[in-house]
Amino acid sequence: MIKVTYIQPDGREATVKARPGDSVMQTALNNNVPGIIAECGGSMACATCHVYVAEAWQTQAGARKDGEEDMLDCAMSEMRDTSRLSCQIKLTEALDGLRVYLPEEQG
Amino acid sequence: MTSGRIVIVGAGQGGLQAAVCLRQEGYLGPITLIGSENHLPYQRPPLSKAYLKTGQADSLRLRPLSFFNDQNITLLLGNAVTNIDPATQQVAHCSGTLVYDHLILAMGTRNLRPDIPGLEHALDLRTLDDAERLRLAMIDAHSVAVIGGGFIGLEFAAVARGLGLQVTVAEAAPRLMARVVSPQMSEHFLKLHRAMGTTIMLNASVSQVNAKGIVACGSTVKADLVVLAAGVRPNTELAQQAGLAIDNGVRTNAHLLTSDPAISAIGDCAAFPDPATGRLVRLESVQATTDHARLIARRLTKGSSDKYTSVPWFWSDQAENKLQIAGFATPGDVAIMRADGAVFCFEGDYLSAVETVNDPRTHMQARQLLVGGARPTRDILDNQGYEISPIQR
Ligand SMILES: Cc1cc2nc3c(=O)[nH]c(=O)nc-3n(C[C@H](O)[C@H](O)[C@H](O)COP(=O)(O)OP(=O)(O)OC[C@H]3O[C@@H](n4cnc5c(N)ncnc54)[C@H](O)[C@@H]3O)c2cc1C
Ligand code: FES
């Protein structure tokens, strides 16, 4: 079973179960985790699903997709090395235990 | 208002978002979301894109059923509202009546069905049920004719072509997506679709549909499957019967209140003042719908008197091409194409919209440029060679 932990800006954590194949964004919405708006539903058109991937998980989470960086660069909260659009991270067993931090503001 | 009864008519993108935002803003009173469809609220954009290939209805769902229980939102599905009585603040639906302190109208649109003989042979693409019917019909089809060369018709055409079907699009206007993009962008997409092997007929009014295909401009186009994508009409009848002001949609002021102060309207069914020009507009986009929902939730929960000022933005995926529009242009605007293909539209001297294809950076920069109804002049952009960053606010 895949578990993902979402950490709010104030430090509160929520660990939820994910279905393989769902994105980190979809998993948040399915489990009522606040802080991810996901206006475009994963079409990489809105940048309101911004997360910071915990450093230990950066490699497993993979590289940014084409165009992702441009969207992140203009996202509401500051882009960092660990920034990803959570709709572009698909969950597999290899990501069991993934930790992501939510930014202050999404949109 | 922190405890009044809120009733939301329409459990689509806007209705759901209004309920979500109300709870996020801390609204404690009872919320009822009523929808005529039998599905949990879902997103429509993928219906003409990924869904037709995958058939995964799960991933369209905006929130799981547990969300409504957890958030104490009463969800009535398969329940059309049949009457609104502003005098007694009541709505009637198929299985009862509800009293409201505030009513939010999020009824969306329905497909326009022009008066074409034989149109009953054509399939719609508006709801999940429509898309499912279409997806199954495509499995056995070899050829498809699409009535209408707007966003939805072209997105569908791209998917059908990708699945190997023979595709013909008949568009009555002289160019594609004529209502919403510049002539340059229409031309760009005309080339793209033709390069994919799709037959595009322009100035081609469809005069007949039958079991074998369509007749457009006197010539017969054979098709196993005909899809109707000729635009939509806002669902305003209920509001009209209730005596609300209607003007190409349920008319609202800059606070998204209708002519009745106890009723707000959002999304595809609402006609609201464009922050940049003050003109009444009705947008069929996820952005407008969700931003409307947020503004209304802040007003109802926190008493905010903010006006609606969001920058309109839109996207459309057609094969590998992501068209993105920031701002709002009208067909008469002057359009200038930058060397890399980005198109800048001007209403008189003022920037109204920026259109890009597979260029998220310019799109996002344009959104920042237009924040708060700002309208940079053509002179400024001209002097910068239409580069946005140097003049970014
Ligand atoms: C195929 C397709 C592709 C799209 N692609 C894009 C895109 O790429 N980008 C984009 O920005 N936008 C896109 N859109 C538009 C976007 O989906 C809409 O702007 C958005 O759904 C509007 O939300 P809404 O709540 O106003 O209406 P809807 O989501 O349409 O919801 C309205 C709901 O109200 C219900 N209803 C109506 N009358 C009643 C009643 N009397 N009682 C109870 N319920 C009622 C309807 O059944 C419906 O479920 C697309 C739309 C379609 C159909
Ligand atoms: S959900 Fe819109 S970019 Fe990820």
Side-chain angles (χ1 to χ4, degrees):
Chain A
M1 194 203 314
I2 307 169
K3 284 190 179 160
V4 182
T5 300
Y6 298 84
I7 305 145
Q8 299 291 335
D10 66 7
R12 273 180 305 150
E13 294 190 6
T15 300
V16 303
K17 288 184 231 162
R19 295 184 309 187
D22 275 357
S23 67
V24 173
M25 174 278 277
Q26 192 67 48
T27 303
L29 297 190
N30 281 345
N31 292 284
N32 307 333
V33 176
I36 288 182
I37 301 177
E39 222 165 292
C40 75
S43 296
M44 228 166 86
C46 72
T48 62
C49 65
H50 184 186
V51 296
Y52 302 114
V53 174
E55 273 171 32
W57 287 95
Q58 262 191 292
T59 318
Q60 286 97 316
R64 289 177 191 152
K65 307 271 161 62
D66 242 12
E68 197 177 325
E69 192 152 325
D70 291 335
M71 296 295 296
L72 284 166
D73 204 12
C74 297
M76 199 77 170
S77 290
E78 161 206 25
M79 173 165 85
R80 302 184 198 142
D81 287 347
T82 54
S83 287
R84 289 294 310 270
L85 293 175
S86 58
C87 66
Q88 301 302 313
I89 309 175
K90 289 265 177 302
L91 290 165
T92 58
E93 291 295 340
L95 284 171
D96 181 25
L98 175 70
R99 293 171 68 80
V100 298
Y101 293 84
L102 296 164
E104 288 286 344
E105 257 187 301
Q106 287 286 15
Chain B
M1 181 164 142
T2 48
S3 60
R5 289 154 294 187
I6 295 181
V7 173
I8 306 170
V9 187
Q13 185 104 39
L16 179 274
Q17 195 64 48
V20 168
C21 291
L22 280 164
R23 286 292 184 243
Q24 274 173 1
E25 292 289 343
Y27 193 81
L28 299 172
I31 300 175
T32 307
L33 181 59
I34 313 179
S36 48
E37 292 182 68
N38 273 313
H39 302 284
L40 282 172
Y42 61 88
Q43 331 168 38
R44 287 169 206 276
L47 294 180
S48 50
K49 307 177 181 85
Y51 176 78
L52 291 171
K53 287 181 261 180
T54 65
Q56 276 177 8
D58 267 15
S59 58
L60 304 178
R61 206 180 51 196
L62 285 159
R63 290 293 185 283
L65 186 59
S66 61
F67 173 83
F68 300 92
N69 299 328
D70 293 353
Q71 299 288 314
N72 194 17
I73 295 165
T74 308
L75 180 64
L76 302 178
L77 294 177
N79 245 309
V81 169
T82 50
N83 188 57
I84 300 169
D85 182 5
T88 56
Q89 307 209 153
Q90 282 194 53
V91 296
H93 59 89
C94 304
S95 42
T97 56
L98 283 167
V99 179
Y100 62 82
D101 294 296
H102 199 85
L103 182 68
I104 300 175
L105 301 179
M107 299 164 305
T109 54
R110 64 173 174 279
N111 253 15
L112 196 71
R113 292 196 74 90
D115 200 8
I116 303 171
L119 200 64
E120 64 276 10
H121 294 286
L123 294 181
D124 287 318
L125 180 45
R126 176 81 218 157
T127 65
L128 177 53
D129 291 340
D130 291 340
E132 179 58 6
R133 215 170 290 132
L134 205 50
R135 193 179 70 81
L136 296 175
M138 277 210 284
I139 296 173
D140 295 321
H142 298 286
S143 54
V144 50
V146 183
I147 306 176
F151 291 129
I152 293 176
L154 292 173
E155 288 176 359
F156 170 78
V159 172
R161 194 63 210 116
L163 292 172
L165 275 72
Q166 226 176 32
V167 182
T168 304
V169 177
E171 167 55 56
R175 60 186 180 89
L176 296 175
M177 304 179 277
R179 224 167 32 87
V180 278
V181 304
S182 64
Q184 288 93 324
M185 202 45 89
S186 295
E187 186 61 28
H188 183 71
F189 275 86
L190 178 65
K191 287 194 186 129
L192 287 173
H193 282 276
R194 285 189 170 152
M196 284 183 250
T198 298
T199 305
I200 306 250
M201 302 167 75
L202 297 174
N203 297 304
S205 282
V206 175
S207 56
Q208 201 192 321
V209 183
N210 55 46
K212 295 201 181 100
I214 59 172
V215 179
C217 280
S219 56
T220 302
V221 177
K222 280 199 178 153
D224 307 329
L225 186 63
V226 179
V227 176
L228 175 67
V232 297
R233 173 160 290 167
N235 290 323
T236 54
E237 289 75 5
L238 271 181
Q240 190 156 16
Q241 279 159 21
L244 301 184
I246 308 289
D247 190 344
N248 171 41
V250 184
R251 201 179 79 202
T252 77
N253 63 16
H255 307 289
L256 304 172
L257 272 176
T258 68
S259 52
D260 181 326
I263 308 179
S264 301
I266 66 176
D268 285 13
C269 74
F272 64 96
D274 173 25
T277 62
R279 261 193 317 252
L280 213 57
V281 292
R282 194 174 61 73
L283 299 180
E284 291 156 18
S285 80
V286 167
Q287 170 277 321
T289 306
T290 49
D291 282 339
H292 285 169
R294 281 185 221 165
L295 185 97
I296 290 176
R298 280 200 304 272
R299 164 156 56 71
L300 291 177
T301 310
K302 306 259 165 76
S304 150
S305 56
D306 288 352
K307 290 186 175 174
Y308 183 76
T309 56
S310 302
V311 182
W313 60 263
F314 186 83
W315 84 95
S316 170
D317 292 322
Q318 300 175 30
E320 300 306 306
N321 313 290
K322 184 185 284 296
L323 166 65
Q324 290 183 287
I325 304 171
F328 179 66
T330 35
D333 290 5
V334 172
I336 293 167
M337 190 179 239
R338 200 166 71 179
D340 66 358
V343 176
F344 290 72
C345 303
F346 294 92
E347 182 180 7
D349 283 336
Y350 298 97
L351 183 69
S352 52
V354 178
E355 303 163 347
T356 53
V357 182
N358 294 340
D359 182 358
R361 175 164 299 266
T362 303
H363 170 71
M364 293 299 278
Q365 287 172 340
R367 268 157 66 173
Q368 288 172 348
L369 193 62
L370 294 164
V371 158
R375 308 188 92 200
T377 63
R378 189 161 160 186
D379 276 358
I380 295 182
L381 283 153
D382 222 29
N383 287 336
Q384 306 280 1
Y386 294 92
E387 284 303 324
I388 297 183
S389 16
I391 54 167
Q392 229 167 50
R393 301 147 22 108

